[in-house]
Every structure is written in C-alpha cells, then in structure tokens.
Amino acid sequence: MKKTIFVFLSILFSCIGVNAINNARWITVPSGDANKPNTWISFRKDFNIEKVPSKALTQIAVDSKYWFWINGQMVIFEGGLKRGPNPRDTYYDEVDLAPYLKKGQNKIAILLWHFGKEGYSHKNSGKAGLIFNLKEGNIELISDNSWLCKIHPAYGNTGEPYPNLRLPESNIHFDANKDIANWQTEDSRGKYGFVNAHEIGKWGDAPWNTLVKRPIPQWKDFGIKTVKYKDIERKKGTGKDTIIAAFPYNMQMTPVLDVTDKKGGSLISIFTDHLYGGSDVGIRAEYVTKKGKQTYESIGWMNGHKLMLVVPSDVTVNSIKYRETGYNADPVGSFSCDDEFYMRFWKKALRTLYVNMRDTYFDCPDRERAQWWGDEVVLMGESFYTYSTPIHDLMKKGIHELIGWQKEDGVLHSPIPEGNYGVELPGQMLASIGHYGFWNYYMNTGDKQTIQDVYPGVKKYLSLWSLDDTGLTAFRPGAWTWGDWGNNRDMRLIYAGWHYLALKGAASMADLLGYTNDAKEYRIIMEKVKDGYNQCWNDKAYRHPEYKEETDDRVQALAVISGIADQLKYDAILKVFETEFHASPYMEKYIMEALFMMGQGEYGVERSKKRLSAMVNNTEYTTLFEGWYIGDIGELGGGTVNHAWSGGALTVIAQYICGIYPLEAGYKVFKIEPEPATFKTASISVPSIAGMIKSKFVSSSKEFTLEVVVPYGTEAIIYLPVGREREITINGKIPYENEYKTSSKYLYKTKVSYQLPAGNYKISVK
C-alpha cells in the first residue's frame, strides 16, 4: 500500500525535469558531526570552461538551506525549501548559472545550513547533504568527492533561550575570530584546511528519496538598506547598552551590523521585538566581534518592527542595516475608499499577508512559521485580490502538500510539512478541501490539473465522515477538537457547516472531472446534512440540542454562507449577530460575508469595524493580531501581532463591496456587483489570472457611477445595486434594447445587469 501511495505522489508532483539517471552524488564532510543540529558546512569547487554557455540549468538540493556564490558573487541568498512535498521526499532548486560564469576558471562556493531537528514546518532527514548537477553542452559539473568541504568553525549555538519546538531553525551564534574570511574565492585546501567531500548517496537515494523540483520562485531580495539615524535609539546600561533600530514596517529581514571593537571578543545579542511571538520564544542570534572595524550579516531571517541589539558599552555601532527578503510576488492590486478606517485596515492586512508567506503560507512568522490550513484558506482568498499571479504557485504547493502528507487511513492534517506534530483539526481540514479552499483556488486560476491531482485524496478524506440518525454530520473529534479560538463554540454545527461546504466543493470538483456518480452522492449527503442542520433551528437561532452555552455566532454564519439557512431565517440571524460576539478574527470574516449575503452590508461594515478597531487603530504595529487584543486585556491563541487571518475582511471588501468574483474558472467571465453599504466611493484593481480588472464606484442619493476595465479575452457581468433602475447610460449612451444582454444563466431577478466584453466603461445611473 505504501509503495502505491508513493508512486502516486511521484506522479502527482510531476517529478523531475532533470535526467532520471545522473552521476551527481550527495556529499557532506567526512566527520559525523555534520548531522548535529545547527551545523554549517562550506563547500568549494573550482572548474574551468572554454566558452560561457547561453544557458546552464543546474539542479541543487540540500538539507536544509544554502547560500551560493560564483566567483565571489552571490547567486542565491537562502536556497532550498523545507522538507518536504510528502513525508519522504525533498525539493530541489533549478538555477541558471550562465549569467554568473566566465571563460576560464570559475569558483563555486556553497554554505549549507543543516537544521538537524524537527519542526512544524520541516521533516528532518537526519543527514546533512548537498547534491549538485550541471550538464550543459560540453560542461559537466557534478557533486562528488572531488569537491572540498569543511564545517564552518565560526557558526555555533547560543545558550538559552532556544527557539520553541515548533521551529526547526536554531539560533545562530557567529564568532568572527573563527571566521574563514574570503573562503568563497581563496585557495581553500591549503589556506583553510578544506578536505575532500564524503559521498553518501546518489540522486533519489534515502533519506532524501525522490527529488521534486521547487514549485515556487526564489525569494525576492529587496537589497540592503540602512536604518536612518533618527530611527535608532541607544539606551545606556551598566557595561552594556541596548540599541533599538526601527524598521518602516514588520518584515522578514536579516540584520547587517557595521561595528568597531578596539579589543575584539565582545558578544552582541541580536533579536527583534517579536522574539517572544505570542506565547513562545522565536529566533535570535549572537555575534562575537573581532578586533577592529567589521561588517556582519546574520543570514537566518527574523521578523519584527524593531531590531534590538545588546552591545558592550565600549563597542561602537557605526551603522545598522538590513536585507528584506520575501516571497517573489508583488502587491500589484490596489484599493482606495472614502473610509479612512478601512484604508488603514487594508494597508495592515496587506503587510500582514506578506510577512506570512515564504516556504509556505504560515500562521505567524515568529512563533511557528507553520502551514495551518485554516489560515491558508483565508490567506489565499486575500492573495487573489492583491498579489501578482506568481502567488498562485505558493497555493498550488500547499494544496499538493496537504494531499501529499495524507495518512494511509485517509486522515488529512496540518501543519505540513512537519516532523513533530501531525494532528488533525477536522474543521480546518474540511475548510481546506472545500468551497473556500481547493474550489476557490480553481475558480481563480482555472488550474484543472491540480484539481485532478488532488481529487482522490479529497474523496478519501470525505469518506471518513458519516451522518448521525438525524442526518447531521456525526462528530469526529480528530486529534484536536478546534473550531476557533474563543468560547461558546457549538462544535457539532461548526463541523457540520464545514462538512457541507467541503461536500459542495467536492461536488463541483467531481462535476469538473466528469465523476457524475460522485457528484450525485455528495449532493445527496449535502441534503441530509442540510436537513439535520435545520432541525437545530429553534426559531431564534441554530443551536445543537447538546450545546448549552451562549448562542454561537459562527454557526449562524456557516448556515448562511453555505446556503443551509433560507431567507426566512435572516431576520432572526441578524439579531444574533447584533448581540453575540464570540468569533475570533479567523471566523469573523465569514460573519461579515454572511451579513452581506443577507443584504445587511451596512451592519457588516459596522460590526467588522467595531471588532477590528483595537488592532487597526494601534499605531505601534503595522500588522494585524491573532486575537482581538494584545496584552493584559486579553489574547487568543497566544496573541501574536502578525496573524494574516485577521485580514479576512479584505476579501469581503473586494468580493462584496466592490463585487468582483469569477463566474467561470480563470476569470473568463466574472461579475462586478458592487454593494456600497456605508461607502460613498471605492476603487479597486484586481490582478486576476486574465489580467488587471479595475472598478470604481461613486454612490450618492442623486447618482451612482461605475467605471470598469474589462481585460482582453474576458467578459464582465455588471450588476447594479438594487434600486438603481432609473436612467442608465453606458459610455454616455442609453443602451438600446438587448445591447449588452446578459446570458440567461447569469440573470438575477432583482437586479439590472449588463454583459460587457473587454474594454473600458463608465456606467451612470441617475
């Protein structure tokens, strides 16, 4: 059975765009110390070429991360991805080295960082290793025992506090007095005592197994920038000073220090204001100075709003710099409106989103860096409206990983990749595979192949779920019965709502793939769940008979967004939303969406503003919090201050207030259905897979105007707000009968609509 699964996964990930058989070897240092946690190894290889090729595609895999130079020039800053695509296998990078090569001698240098321990985002193989394969024309350069290597003596461990167990990365301690300066270009064998590498396996061997091509781009490097003098504060202490350098915003960065020490041997502690990310310890670093003036970059990324240095008082800090890096996609979407609160919210949501993406989407960049799929569903939704299309690769990677890590009994779990957790949170798993997860990915990208790849895993997971004698989803506790942070969680209905939405997504996938019987079966189960859910309606709210606490606002929202609740229940549900406030920021997004679906957008804007105000109005942080508050007045889930699920209202603004959503996969046909609510003006640009969509409305009692840009090769269905049926002009002309006629499948009985081909339009209703 295991063999069958791994064969399937190999096909699923579409393996290797490299020779299945090559002579490259996994290499490491001869010493067994290489496999210890937090080991750093330097590799060198010199070679000659007669002619620089136009292309030199090279495959590089490591355990766990690497930095790569050719002739002293940085080629890759932090290559490699955490393990892995599934519990066995490993990612490799493919890099074109041609731009860095020269005729004659070339010098390759690779610094490898072996994590050597498990985490919530990494599976430890147990061995440090590098494999390198370049075959281009007459050039063949492979890793073997002719390469030189050495454990880098300057790197080591700090003392306590250590990063918490969720993080596979260790703190970095660097002693400049033990550095092997210029080892990337100097004669490494004679001067530095490098030795021949030890061969420990070939391409495809255990413990790294099948090598899967990196599915996401290399990181974006924003370059090294200097912290301005006015943003640096020095607090004097007894023998040691604390220096605080403020960044323009919360970011993923590596600190760069320029210091002078007349004696040398001084210890500088390096950390950020996010060292204690919520409830647990994150990443920090240490630097031991050498004598004189020196520059040092601590290359393991941290995040924060401020860099903190504890420096001996007699050490001079000449300057503080930083290198910001992050996922290689750009925030090309834009939004503006007349509500200053939501402008601040959008800016913070966008910053929080970016600081929570790298190897995967993750819940927070300080405490965990872990790909929790409840978070990812929300983050994907935000990304579609804000980031350039390379962000879709990160989503696809996460989707494949979720199924790639599926257990033999069909259970899905997150976070993944993982080495020391592996717990099922049933509600999050149902959300991931369903309407808001996998299916929303397909509607925004049109990527049918990924749906084809993962559908068998979706079907297998859903087969684990059954119904009770009322038709309602039977309770599956999983390993962690988690429905949301906070209290008053009606778990039976939370799970049933997500189950219904998972079945809805699966039925759509089955339709797409031609599995008619599956789709029919899913919809039969959906009707039973719907009937069971509605048996829990007591004329005032949905409450499961076994639930005894205060009425749960979350389950009302799930009933609305899933379609379980009919419109006759909306008035009563609205009263629940006006009086019950139990959801965390994770589930509040769905409550805001439910209010818009109920025609209560004005209250949706008001409630969301009230709930988000503490974090949006906080001037100390540029990112949003995990819970509603921080500090003594209350935290949820540990209380990190950079949790992107709190940006879920961004999606509601784009999809409901501005009204943009695909009606056909890949935005071949999409809607623009603005619901202004309390907004007088709003303008948005959406970087869809089909091109940039633009929409701007101005709403007043006298006139409603809508300006739109419909990309080439697409069509837009424009729905005008209810009550806007007076004199309508499009580009200054009253449309004649049947001009811009809407196809019958997109007609609403209650709304005036037009179907517009590619172009620029201004619609006016007076």
Side-chain angles (χ1 to χ4, degrees):
M1 182 64 179
K2 282 187 177 180
K3 185 176 180 181
T4 302
I5 291 172
F6 289 128
V7 168
F8 164 71
L9 290 174
S10 296
I11 295 171
L12 173 77
F13 276 95
S14 195
C15 267
I16 314 188
V18 66
N19 299 331
I21 300 175
N22 63 58
N23 296 320
R25 294 291 183 266
W26 282 97
I27 58 174
T28 188
V29 291
S31 169
D33 291 342
N35 301 326
K36 292 181 178 179
N38 199 18
T39 298
W40 296 74
I41 305 173
S42 298
F43 292 91
R44 277 290 307 274
K45 179 66 177 179
D46 297 351
F47 67 103
N48 290 285
I49 58 174
E50 296 180 359
K51 181 181 179 182
V52 175
S54 59
K55 183 176 288 188
L57 291 181
T58 305
Q59 295 78 40
I60 307 170
V62 300
D63 193 339
S64 306
K65 294 280 186 176
Y66 71 94
W67 288 255
F68 181 19
W69 298 262
I70 294 181
N71 302 320
Q73 181 181 0
M74 177 68 75
V75 178
I76 297 292
F77 187 90
E78 194 201 299
L81 293 175
K82 295 177 177 179
R83 297 183 73 244
N86 55 61
R88 295 179 72 252
D89 299 331
T90 304
Y91 290 110
Y92 75 87
D93 292 349
E94 187 167 78
V95 184
D96 183 7
L97 301 187
Y100 305 94
L101 298 174
K102 64 181 182 179
K103 183 179 178 180
Q105 187 182 62
N106 291 267
K107 299 180 179 182
I108 283 179
I110 295 176
L111 177 63
L112 179 147
W113 185 15
H114 178 57
F115 293 164
K117 60 188 181 79
E118 310 276 33
Y120 281 21
S121 58
H122 178 71
K123 177 70 174 175
N124 182 26
S125 74
K127 286 187 177 182
L130 161 72
I131 195 165
F132 183 102
N133 181 63
L134 167 57
K135 291 183 179 179
E136 195 71 48
N138 295 326
I139 302 175
E140 180 173 352
L141 181 63
I142 60 171
S143 51
D144 57 20
N145 61 8
S146 70
W147 285 51
L148 302 177
C149 60
K150 177 185 178 70
I151 292 179
H152 198 302
Y155 287 96
N157 291 304
T158 68
E160 294 182 349
Y162 302 118
N164 75 86
L165 60 80
R166 300 175 182 88
L167 295 164
E169 298 94 334
S170 295
N171 295 332
I172 299 174
H173 175 94
F174 188 90
D175 187 340
N177 300 286
K178 300 178 181 178
D179 193 10
I180 43 178
N182 302 316
W183 65 269
Q184 297 95 334
T185 55
E186 294 289 335
D187 179 4
S188 53
R189 184 188 294 273
K191 187 174 182 179
Y192 297 125
F194 279 57
V195 297
N196 289 91
H198 178 53
E199 296 181 7
I200 52 175
K202 61 182 185 298
W203 190 279
D205 279 357
W208 304 283
N209 306 305
T210 299
L211 298 182
V212 176
K213 185 176 178 180
R214 181 189 184 113
I216 60 175
Q218 296 288 346
W219 314 133
K220 185 172 184 178
D221 187 337
F222 293 84
I224 294 177
K225 300 176 183 178
T226 302
V227 179
K228 296 178 181 178
Y229 180 78
K230 68 179 181 63
D231 294 325
I232 298 176
E233 177 185 3
R234 186 160 190 154
K235 296 183 177 180
K236 294 288 186 180
T238 304
K240 292 183 179 180
D241 300 342
T242 300
I243 298 177
I244 303 170
F247 301 131
Y249 44 74
N250 188 2
M251 67 175 73
Q252 297 174 15
M253 64 84 209
T254 51
V256 182
L257 312 181
D258 186 309
V259 303
T260 300
D261 188 352
K262 294 180 180 179
K263 300 179 298 182
S266 299
L267 177 67
I268 298 176
S269 295
I270 306 167
F271 54 99
T272 75
D273 57 333
H274 289 225
L275 174 61
Y276 294 93
S279 57
D280 279 303
V281 182
I283 302 293
R284 65 186 184 88
E286 293 176 348
Y287 177 65
V288 178
T289 64
K290 60 185 178 181
K291 185 178 180 180
K293 190 174 184 298
Q294 59 217 269
T295 299
Y296 170 68
E297 179 174 9
S298 184
I299 57 179
W301 72 270
M302 309 175 188
N303 84 286
H305 289 84
K306 298 175 182 178
L307 181 66
M308 322 285 281
L309 305 176
V310 178
V311 182
S313 300
D314 56 355
V315 172
T316 301
V317 177
N318 304 311
S319 69
I320 299 174
K321 301 179 182 180
Y322 62 92
R323 182 198 304 267
E324 181 184 1
T325 57
Y327 190 83
N328 204 348
D330 298 313
V332 293
S334 63
F335 172 74
S336 63
C337 68
D338 62 303
D339 189 320
E340 292 184 4
F341 177 88
Y342 279 102
M343 287 297 295
R344 292 196 302 275
F345 163 77
W346 189 280
K347 183 177 180 180
K348 284 194 172 188
L350 201 59
R351 171 55 23 201
T352 317
L353 179 60
Y354 191 63
V355 83
N356 277 287
M357 58 175 83
R358 200 173 178 97
D359 290 56
T360 62
Y361 283 109
F362 35 77
D363 64 329
C364 56
D366 37 30
R367 184 183 67 208
E368 299 188 28
R369 305 181 179 182
Q371 188 172 215
W372 294 94
W373 254 95
D375 299 64
E376 180 147 356
V377 169
V378 179
L379 272 58
M380 284 169 52
E382 296 174 36
S383 296
F384 285 127
Y385 288 109
T386 52
Y387 271 87
S388 56
T389 54
I391 198 62
H392 299 169
D393 293 334
L394 190 62
M395 302 173 190
K396 183 192 298 188
K397 175 179 180 288
I399 290 170
H400 279 114
E401 285 175 348
L402 184 59
I403 301 302
W405 281 80
Q406 187 169 31
K407 297 180 179 179
E408 287 191 26
D409 61 4
V411 168
L412 295 173
H413 64 282
S414 70
I416 39 89
E418 59 81 21
N420 58 359
Y421 195 64
V423 167
E424 179 192 9
L425 282 71
Q428 287 201 13
M429 295 301 92
L430 291 169
S432 67
I433 63 173
H435 179 74
Y436 285 90
F438 289 9
W439 187 249
N440 192 42
Y441 168 81
Y442 171 69
M443 288 300 294
N444 278 272
T445 65
D447 179 6
K448 181 179 177 181
Q449 183 60 55
T450 291
I451 300 301
Q452 180 80 61
D453 292 343
V454 301
Y455 176 76
V458 172
K459 182 178 179 179
K460 188 173 183 179
Y461 182 65
L462 284 174
S463 72
L464 302 178
W465 290 82
S466 60
L467 308 182
D468 66 17
D469 55 8
T470 72
L472 192 70
T473 303
F475 183 66
R476 285 189 70 248
W480 183 6
T481 303
W482 188 92
D484 189 20
W485 290 131
N487 301 316
N488 302 296
R489 293 168 295 150
D490 191 343
M491 292 303 304
R492 287 295 305 275
L493 293 185
I494 288 176
Y495 280 10
W498 285 122
H499 186 208
Y500 186 93
L501 286 162
L503 291 163
K504 182 177 181 180
S508 298
M509 288 184 250
D511 286 337
L512 173 69
L513 301 174
Y515 302 134
T516 306
N517 290 336
D518 286 1
K520 181 178 179 181
E521 181 63 26
Y522 293 139
R523 291 191 171 100
I524 290 171
I525 301 172
M526 286 171 66
E527 285 304 310
K528 293 178 180 178
V529 174
K530 183 176 183 179
D531 290 344
Y533 208 111
N534 279 315
Q535 288 182 45
C536 298
W537 177 256
N538 65 7
D539 293 329
K540 294 182 179 180
Y542 286 100
R543 292 180 60 94
H544 192 272
E546 298 171 1
Y547 178 67
K548 305 303 180 184
E549 307 302 323
E550 295 178 28
T551 298
D552 188 352
D553 47 354
R554 307 168 187 87
V555 302
Q556 320 307 316
L558 287 169
V560 173
I561 65 175
S562 65
I564 289 173
D566 59 61
Q567 294 185 13
L568 295 176
K569 298 179 176 67
Y570 284 1
D571 287 345
I573 290 174
L574 175 61
K575 291 180 181 178
V576 175
F577 289 150
E578 290 174 335
T579 56
E580 305 289 347
F581 301 90
H582 307 303
S584 84
Y586 167 55
M587 287 296 293
E588 187 68 25
K589 176 261 183 188
Y590 299 104
I591 294 172
M592 186 183 187
E593 181 173 356
L595 284 162
F596 271 90
M597 293 178 70
M598 292 163 55
Q600 299 293 334
E602 290 192 15
Y603 179 62
V605 170
E606 176 189 330
R607 173 175 164 136
S608 183
K609 181 181 290 188
K610 179 180 178 181
R611 302 221 73 193
L612 289 165
S613 61
M615 61 180 95
V616 172
N617 294 331
N618 188 299
T619 58
E620 186 176 351
Y621 300 105
T622 61
T623 45
L624 302 173
F625 311 155
E626 181 173 6
W628 298 113
Y629 310 100
I630 54 172
D632 295 337
I633 59 174
E635 297 177 349
L636 293 173
T640 72
V641 296
N642 30 226
H643 232 75
W645 69 15
S646 296
L650 181 157
T651 307
V652 180
I653 290 169
Q655 187 174 335
Y656 290 91
I657 293 175
C658 297
I660 297 176
Y661 189 74
L663 298 174
E664 294 185 13
Y667 275 88
K668 292 178 181 177
V669 180
F670 63 93
K671 70 174 183 177
I672 300 181
E673 185 180 5
E675 290 291 346
T678 61
F679 288 37
K680 295 181 175 61
T681 66
S683 175
I684 194 169
S685 297
V686 176
S688 81
I689 194 73
M692 189 68 76
I693 297 167
K694 296 184 179 182
S695 176
K696 177 182 179 180
F697 70 75
V698 178
S699 180
S700 70
S701 59
K702 295 182 179 180
E703 184 177 12
F704 178 83
T705 61
L706 179 65
E707 298 178 41
V708 300
V709 176
V710 183
Y712 176 78
T714 70
E715 290 184 296
I717 314 297
I718 307 297
Y719 298 98
L720 297 177
V722 173
R724 303 289 188 170
E725 298 95 359
R726 292 168 287 180
E727 181 179 284
I728 299 172
T729 60
I730 300 178
N731 289 343
K733 298 179 181 179
I734 298 174
Y736 57 78
E737 187 176 2
N738 293 330
E739 187 177 13
Y740 307 124
K741 183 178 180 180
T742 304
S743 172
S744 59
K745 64 179 177 179
Y746 300 125
L747 282 174
Y748 283 2
K749 292 181 180 179
T750 58
K751 289 195 173 185
V752 174
S753 62
Y754 297 96
Q755 189 160 343
L756 305 179
N760 297 2
Y761 301 90
K762 182 175 182 179
I763 301 169
S764 174
V765 184
K766 296 183 179 180

